[in-house]
Each structure stands twice: as C-alpha cells, then as structure tokens.
Amino acid sequence: MMPLKRFALISLALLVPGLGLTACDRGPAEERAAPVRGLKAMTVSESAAVQLRRYPSVIEPADQSPLSFEVGGRIEKLPMEVGMDVEVGDLLAALDARSYELQRDQADARLDEANANLETARSQYRRNQELAEQGLVATKTLEDSKSALDAAVAQASQAERQFNLAERDYGKTRLLAPFTGRIASVTVDPFEQVSPGQRVGAIYSEQGFEVSFSVPASVLEQLEVGTAVRIDVPDLKLEAVQGRISELGNRASEVSSFPVTVTVVEPPPRLRAGMAAEVELDVAALRGAGYLVPLSAFEFDANEDLQMAGRLWVYDAESSTVSSRMVQISGVRGNELIVSDGLEIGDVVAVAGVSYLREGQRVNLLPMQE
C-alpha cells in the first residue's frame, strides 16, 4: 500500500499541468470572443459655404439721452429715480432758482424803465416834428430828438434781450423729461452743486432697442445694412428676437475692429435694456466651402489648433474597421464644424464614442444617422 504522503505529491504533480493548460487555453479564447464595438456614424453629404459666428453684446435703448442743466446751481428737488417711468414734460430735477428769479425781476424792471424812456423819446420827437413843420423849432433840435429816440430804441431792445435771457435762465432751473421713457441713471444727489452741462442722469425710450459689437474687416465686407440677423437673449429663454443691421462703421474702433449696430425688430414685451445678448451672423467660411460634421465626432490633439485641424474616425465597409484621419476645419455652424479638406461625399464618419476607438479596430456599423 502506497504511503499517504507520496500519493498526495503524485496527485498534485498530475494536477498542476492540467491547471496550466486550462489557463493557457482560456486567454486566447476570451480574446477571440471579445465583442465587436457598435459604431454610431453618419455619411458625409451636407455641404456648407458659410459659418455661424456669435458676437456678445448688451441690449441698449435705441433712443437714449443724457440729462443736464444748461445753468449751474444747487439742486433743490430731485424726484427722478432709476427705473422710474416718466411722461414728456414731467419734472425730473430743479435748482434753487432764487438768484435767477432776482436777475429776471431786475431785468424786467430795467425793461420797463427802457420802454418808458422810449415812449418819452418818441413823444418828444413827434412834438418836435410838428413844431418844425410850423417853423417853431430849429432843425438841430429836431435832429437831437431823433438821436435821442434812436438811443432809446437801442436801449429798450437791449433791455428786452437781457430780460429774455434772464427769463430763459430762470426756466432752465427746472429739468423736464424730453420724451416719454424710463430713467436709466441718476448721477447727483439733492443739494449738490452742479455746473452747466454737467450730467445728472440719463433717460431712454422703450420704443426701440439695439445692440452694438465689433467685427474684423474680413467679416465687415460681407455685411450689408438691412440684413436680417438673429439675436439670442438668454433672459428670454427660447423667445426669438429678430434684428436688422442698421449701421456699419467705416472706421475701426480698435485695431482691425469695426463697429456694427443691429436694431431689434418688434421687441418682445419682456425685453429690457441691460439684458445680455449674442448676435448670430452667417458669414463665408474662412477657407471656402466644406462639409458639416458634428462636434462630437472630433478629437483634438493638445498641440492642434481647434480652429484649424481635428481628427475624425472613418469607417471602411470592406474591412469593417475604422481609421483616423486629420482634417482641416474652416468654421462653425451651431454644434457642427465645417470641414474644408480631408473628407469626401460618401465618407462614413463616427459621431459618438470616438475616444474609445483605435486604429484598425473592427466595429459593427449601427443604423446610419440621417
């Protein structure tokens, strides 16, 4: 009878080679049984000669005016407040008018005196005319009375101008709303001393809005006054805002940056000045026409310029494999990029899961994306 210890060693020796053989066989089998990855793809077909460009801006009132006094003084009343709706002619602010009132009263008194002197000089001249016709006064007396009348006329005219100026200045101590609108800003405080022409606030009309932004010369030459554009206003959610180009600047506000103004067409009721906006323009692609490919189809190397080149995975029907291909990018339209070089009509391009693909990998093509 075989000892128990020897029997255990022989059994272990026979078992180990079997385990090794089983392990060696399972590796290649599992590799051969690895599932083929499904590939979501699209067929290149849609060409594009324009790209979508977005320019950030702010909704501004089309009719906005600064507010200021034409005379200086101390602010006595300041009823206007930011955001307050006003009607044309409403009182917005008033200066202490006592000194201007005194000047007007003094000018009025001088005017009365000058008019009285004028009437006296006119009566004296008429009397001398009658006496001269009767030969009762000398010719020099008549001439002197005529000179006195002319001087009185000049003095009365000057006094009237001074009174009108004093009356005007007195009226300028009240700042009235030039049109119906809303107060945009108030830049002074009650009892503050202000100078003529110093800005004390601003008012704007809600009847019209516009946005302004700057574009390079290459874009400016493609734009025309009157062209319809879309304005995206995030605060309005999905409510569409349409605009029309109203002004194109002929002189750059900065180096190679030209101003463009877009007027809002039929502003939505909820649109307000100060809301953030983004203007969308369709302009020619940087390097001509190309094909539209979803952004999800691209891989970008760290050393590649996203605006110039990207990597796509192209499906080969004969071998059911994919291979990478570098392509040239010329522009953007929404969530798609315009490929100007590296693709042809009919190419099948992966549009999802591209980070998991590798060169020569076999794939199972899923139903094509339209």
Side-chain angles (χ1 to χ4, degrees):
M1 183 174 182
M2 183 181 298
L4 180 61
K5 182 175 180 181
R6 183 179 179 185
F7 176 79
L9 291 174
I10 294 174
S11 299
L12 181 61
L14 294 174
L15 180 62
V16 170
L19 291 175
L21 179 61
T22 302
C24 292
D25 290 343
R26 187 167 63 240
E30 288 183 351
E31 184 176 348
R32 289 194 298 270
V36 177
R37 176 177 296 278
L39 183 70
K40 184 177 181 180
M42 62 164 283
T43 300
V44 175
S45 61
E46 186 177 0
S47 61
V50 296
Q51 62 177 316
L52 180 66
R53 289 202 175 185
R54 301 175 183 270
Y55 296 93
S57 184
V58 177
I59 298 293
E60 296 287 353
D63 187 6
Q64 178 170 306
S65 297
L67 298 171
S68 63
F69 288 97
E70 294 185 36
V71 296
R74 183 175 61 85
I75 294 180
E76 186 175 58
K77 297 179 181 179
L78 191 64
M80 67 173 177
E81 297 178 353
V82 175
M84 183 174 70
D85 293 323
V86 296
E87 300 289 334
V88 59
D90 285 353
L91 178 67
L92 304 181
L95 300 177
D96 182 353
R98 286 175 294 182
S99 61
Y100 292 99
E101 185 178 12
L102 177 60
Q103 293 174 12
R104 183 197 61 178
D105 293 343
Q106 292 174 344
D108 188 27
R110 288 193 293 268
L111 177 59
D112 289 341
E113 181 180 1
N115 286 333
N117 292 336
L118 176 58
E119 286 301 318
T120 300
R122 185 177 289 118
S123 298
Q124 185 64 42
Y125 176 68
R126 290 173 181 170
R127 185 180 304 110
N128 287 337
Q129 275 186 316
E130 295 175 356
L131 294 175
E133 291 175 358
Q134 300 174 14
L136 299 177
V137 296
T139 302
K140 187 176 186 310
T141 301
L142 179 61
E143 292 175 350
D144 290 344
S145 62
K146 180 62 170 63
S147 298
L149 175 60
D150 292 341
V153 170
Q155 290 175 356
S157 178
Q158 182 179 6
E160 184 176 11
R161 287 194 298 270
Q162 291 176 344
F163 172 77
N164 289 337
L165 289 175
E167 179 74 11
R168 186 204 64 179
D169 289 346
Y170 176 73
K172 296 298 184 181
T173 60
R174 292 167 55 85
L175 183 61
L176 307 179
F179 50 80
T180 298
R182 177 172 293 179
I183 301 301
S185 64
V186 179
T187 57
V188 293
D189 297 316
F191 310 111
E192 181 177 337
Q193 188 76 21
V194 297
S195 304
Q198 177 182 338
R199 182 167 179 163
V200 299
I203 182 175
Y204 67 89
S205 171
E206 291 191 309
Q207 299 304 311
F209 295 95
E210 63 184 20
V211 293
S212 299
F213 53 97
S214 297
V215 300
S218 59
V219 174
L220 182 72
E221 63 186 13
Q222 301 181 46
L223 304 180
E224 294 182 359
V225 172
T227 301
V229 299
R230 175 184 170 84
I231 305 173
D232 182 24
V233 182
D235 290 335
L236 299 185
K237 306 301 182 183
L238 299 179
E239 189 172 358
V241 179
Q242 299 299 321
R244 197 170 299 277
I245 297 177
S246 56
E247 295 180 22
L248 296 174
N250 293 323
R251 181 175 181 179
S253 56
E254 299 177 1
V255 178
S256 297
S257 183
F258 296 84
V260 178
T261 300
V262 172
T263 300
V264 178
V265 178
E266 298 181 0
R270 297 192 299 126
L271 190 65
R272 295 289 183 271
M275 288 183 172
E278 194 173 54
V279 181
E280 300 178 355
L281 297 179
D282 285 330
V283 298
L286 297 178
R287 290 180 294 278
Y291 302 102
L292 293 175
V293 179
L295 181 60
S296 61
F298 288 85
E299 284 187 312
F300 299 101
D301 296 336
N303 60 345
E304 294 290 347
D305 183 355
L306 185 147
Q307 298 297 325
M308 299 293 292
R311 185 186 307 277
L312 295 176
W313 290 91
V314 182
Y315 173 76
D316 179 59
E318 293 184 2
S319 61
S320 297
T321 61
V322 292
S323 59
S324 65
R325 184 183 301 177
M326 294 301 298
V327 297
Q328 295 297 313
I329 300 170
S330 62
V332 181
R333 280 186 60 180
N335 292 324
E336 298 176 306
L337 301 183
I338 302 174
V339 177
S340 59
D341 187 31
L343 285 182
E344 297 179 357
I345 292 180
D347 283 343
V348 178
V349 177
V351 296
V354 296
S355 61
Y356 298 100
L357 299 177
R358 64 180 185 273
E359 195 71 28
Q361 181 178 358
R362 294 184 66 249
V363 295
N364 179 27
L365 190 63
L366 298 178
M368 296 294 291
Q369 175 176 320
E370 297 294 334

